[in-house]
Amino acid sequence: MSIAVSAATSQLGKIIVDILHEKNLSFVALVRDPSKVRAGVETRKFDYNSDAATLAASLTGVKTLILISSGDVIGDRVLQHKNAVDAAKQAGVTTVVYTSLLHAPTSEIAIAGDHKTTEEYIAAAPGLKHVFLRNGWYLENWTGKLDTFLKSGALLNSLFGAKVSPATRRDYAEAAVAAAVLATEGKPVKAVYELGGEAITLEDLTAEISVHAGKEIKSVVVPVDELRKQFAGFGLPPKFVEIIASTDAAAAKGGLYVEPTDLIELIGRQPDNWKQHVKEVVAALPSA
């Protein structure tokens, strides 16, 4: 195989695996638990918490590594990423395609620091090429909570009407596969892509949800300090509260906005229609 995808059973990873499989590409899925990968896919054990020498053995024959950022936001993600990058160097991997965060070097979102440091570490690795896919927010980060919004009648936020550019996981997954294929085949590929879909506001989103749900959902805007209090009151760990609050604060300043140019360039089409996505998610709800 020439392509490997780490965290292959994550929400993004599963879709990337599906696309690679659909395209009949030669690849290997890297996971902590190989039994969780779909049938017919070559798997190798790969735990970000393992040392580089152990991980390198799982990268034998790999030319391009799609390195999906660790979902362990409580743990030491930078160390986990460094383990994977060091393994890639030891195994002779040519290119790392890393799923980063939109505007990572300047973003004020709490998790941005991990991405910035990881990007710098990869870029400094001798002999290792890179493609940084700076993904914007997943549309599913909001539509995955539709049942909660429908029960409360509100989407609590601190964006103050700012535009955001979310895209579906499928779009980001297709972009990752496209970048990996270009790199593997030695075709031109940029070192950095700032990825996002059509620009919308949360007022646009709640209005569209309301249309399909038959119930009014409002975008309820509060100052970010009040947002922190509200989510802390729900019993969330402080680090999660800060991620939510800092994301909204950054988004209010345009931190989750980008033109869809780079995403269109990689996937070769317009991003998934967000209104259609909302319609489908609402229709799939048990109460719909």
Side-chain angles (χ1 to χ4, degrees):
M1 91 300 308
S2 294
I3 297 174
V5 53
S6 66
T9 54
S10 65
Q11 290 177 302
L12 180 63
K14 286 180 180 178
I15 303 174
I16 290 175
V17 166
D18 286 344
I19 295 170
L20 289 166
H21 191 265
E22 290 164 7
K23 291 180 176 292
N24 293 315
L25 295 171
S26 176
F27 75 99
V28 61
L30 305 175
V31 291
R32 284 182 293 186
D33 183 357
S35 69
K36 295 182 178 180
V37 180
R38 62 177 291 171
V41 171
E42 180 183 352
T43 62
R44 295 179 186 175
K45 190 171 178 59
F46 199 86
D47 187 333
Y48 288 152
N49 292 307
S50 298
D51 61 82
T54 300
L55 295 177
S58 295
L59 294 175
T60 301
V62 172
K63 185 173 183 180
T64 302
L65 170 63
I66 301 176
L67 178 58
I68 296 179
S69 56
S70 169
D72 183 11
V73 295
I74 299 298
D76 190 341
R77 295 208 302 169
V78 172
L79 177 59
Q80 293 172 343
H81 295 160
K82 285 182 176 180
N83 289 339
V85 174
D86 289 344
K89 290 188 293 184
Q90 290 183 26
V93 171
T94 302
T95 305
V96 171
V97 177
Y98 174 64
T99 61
S100 187
L101 176 69
L102 188 63
H103 311 311
T106 58
S107 175
E108 297 178 6
I109 296 175
I111 59 174
D114 291 349
H115 290 293
K116 180 176 182 292
T117 302
T118 299
E119 285 190 5
E120 292 171 346
Y121 192 76
I122 294 172
L128 195 60
K129 298 177 184 178
H130 66 267
V131 179
F132 297 149
L133 302 178
R134 293 178 179 160
N135 293 345
W137 228 230
Y138 298 123
L139 190 53
E140 291 90 342
N141 286 350
W142 288 300
T143 60
K145 301 183 181 72
L146 284 194
D147 54 346
T148 301
F149 302 154
L150 290 170
K151 289 175 183 176
S152 66
L155 194 171
L156 189 67
N157 69 92
S158 297
L159 269 67
F160 293 92
K163 288 186 176 182
V164 294
S165 305
T168 62
R169 281 195 181 89
R170 176 81 190 190
D171 281 347
Y172 291 127
E174 285 192 20
V177 170
V181 169
L182 289 171
T184 303
E185 294 179 349
K187 295 179 180 178
V189 61
K190 295 191 299 191
V192 177
Y193 291 89
E194 301 280 357
L195 303 177
E198 180 183 348
I200 63 173
T201 66
L202 292 189
E203 287 70 27
D204 295 330
L205 180 62
T206 51
E208 193 66 22
I209 295 170
S210 300
V211 167
H212 299 292
K215 175 183 177 181
E216 185 179 15
I217 310 298
K218 293 183 178 180
S219 169
V220 177
V221 179
V222 298
V224 70
D225 286 342
E226 178 61 26
L227 191 74
R228 283 191 180 92
K229 291 178 182 177
Q230 292 271 0
F231 280 98
F234 297 153
L236 292 179
K239 189 165 185 177
F240 281 107
V241 172
E242 188 52 36
I243 290 172
I244 293 168
S246 65
T247 298
D248 277 29
K253 300 176 184 178
L256 289 179
Y257 171 79
V258 69
E259 290 293 324
T261 310
D262 279 358
L263 182 58
I264 293 170
E265 178 182 335
L266 278 176
I267 66 178
R269 59 171 175 80
Q270 291 296 317
D272 287 340
N273 184 282
W274 69 270
K275 291 185 177 181
Q276 180 63 28
H277 172 80
V278 168
K279 180 180 179 181
E280 292 172 358
V281 174
V282 171
L285 290 174
S287 58

